[in-house]
Amino acid sequence: MKYHLIIGFGKWSKKIIGFLQKKKFFSEIYIKTRHYYFKLGSKQKIYDKEFDKIQKKIDSIHICTPVKSHFFYLRKFSKIKKIIVEKPFLQNLSQLKKVRDKLNKKNNLLVNYTDLFNPILTKLKKNIKIKSDKKIIFNYSKQKQLYNKKYDSVKDWLDHPLSIIFYLFRKFSEFEIIINESIKKKGFYEKLLLNYYYRNYTIQIRLNLSKKNQRNILLSRKSNKTVYDLKRNLVLYNRNKIFKSKNTSFDMLYFYLKKKKTLSYQNYNFHKNIMKEKNKIIKKIINDQ
């Protein structure tokens, strides 16, 4: 891979840029801000007409803008064969169909459900194959993160647990909402407790219910507990560390971009199911409040 373009220059894209600077995967990296482009390592502004010549050399892109602009950039850069787009993927199923029709098999499109690329998930997948009654709890909490609009918090976070659940079980069971709260301070902060019931499993999604910042999956079986820490890329069994991955989700994401490897969680049917389930939950949350 040679030239890479990152679209967006917010907090998340800066994390991606920091990662890529260390790895040196690309000979040149360009960043698109709201009004201009620039090459990483240079402060010189590049505007649209100037960038047209450079664009022909771009081998891959990473779309890190808000979801409302994803559809626009996917169509604009559809000729580029290697594309990463952040979750949430698109705003609705109509956009999904149009993107599917616009892109083709030559495009390697990866939707970055970040935690799905975490290497420790393979450990979880092997563990749940053991047939016994158990509970799986998804803990996602960020105490100080507020959103400007009501329900944006839940919309932003739901893709993470939903994508993992569908990856593990290939379907969604019926869900039950236990806690549904929206707190307004200087912005909106949602709390959600939602249960899915499968044979031998109870799956619980807990958004913003912890007093600590958390991003983990707890597998509970009788008196034994296994924690899959998605922030630190490690697995703990009854509080003892049993595995630590050398790779991060960013490592695996860019590895798959380079290799163009076929993944079970990177096809339009997968994305469609996540979007449909998310819409059902959001609709239920709104109706219940």
Side-chain angles (χ1 to χ4, degrees), residues 100-115:
R100 181 192 63 193
D101 294 341
K102 181 73 174 176
L103 301 181
N104 55 52
K105 291 182 180 179
K106 292 181 181 180
N107 294 99
N108 180 29
L109 173 65
L110 296 174
V111 178
N112 188 20
Y113 306 103
T114 317
D115 294 334

Side-chain angles (χ1 to χ4, degrees), residues 184-215:
K184 187 176 182 182
K185 296 179 181 178
K186 293 182 180 179
F188 286 97
Y189 184 82
E190 271 97 25
K191 293 184 177 183
L192 178 68
L193 176 58
L194 180 153
N195 283 350
Y196 284 100
Y197 302 102
Y198 292 84
R199 185 180 179 183
N200 295 328
Y201 300 93
T202 297
I203 297 178
Q204 194 169 86
I205 297 174
R206 299 170 61 89
L207 301 184
N208 293 323
L209 293 180
S210 170
K211 293 181 180 180
K212 297 180 180 179
N213 289 342
Q214 286 191 340
R215 192 187 188 99

Side-chain angles (χ1 to χ4, degrees), residues 218-230:
L218 170 64
L219 177 59
S220 179
R221 184 183 291 118
K222 296 181 179 179
S223 60
N224 297 318
K225 294 182 180 179
T226 308
V227 176
Y228 298 82
D229 190 323
L230 299 163

Side-chain angles (χ1 to χ4, degrees), residues 122-136:
T122 56
K123 302 289 183 182
L124 173 62
K125 192 169 186 179
K126 289 179 181 178
N127 206 346
I128 66 169
K129 288 181 180 179
I130 301 170
K131 294 183 179 180
S132 62
D133 293 334
K134 43 194 168 285
K135 189 173 186 177
I136 304 175

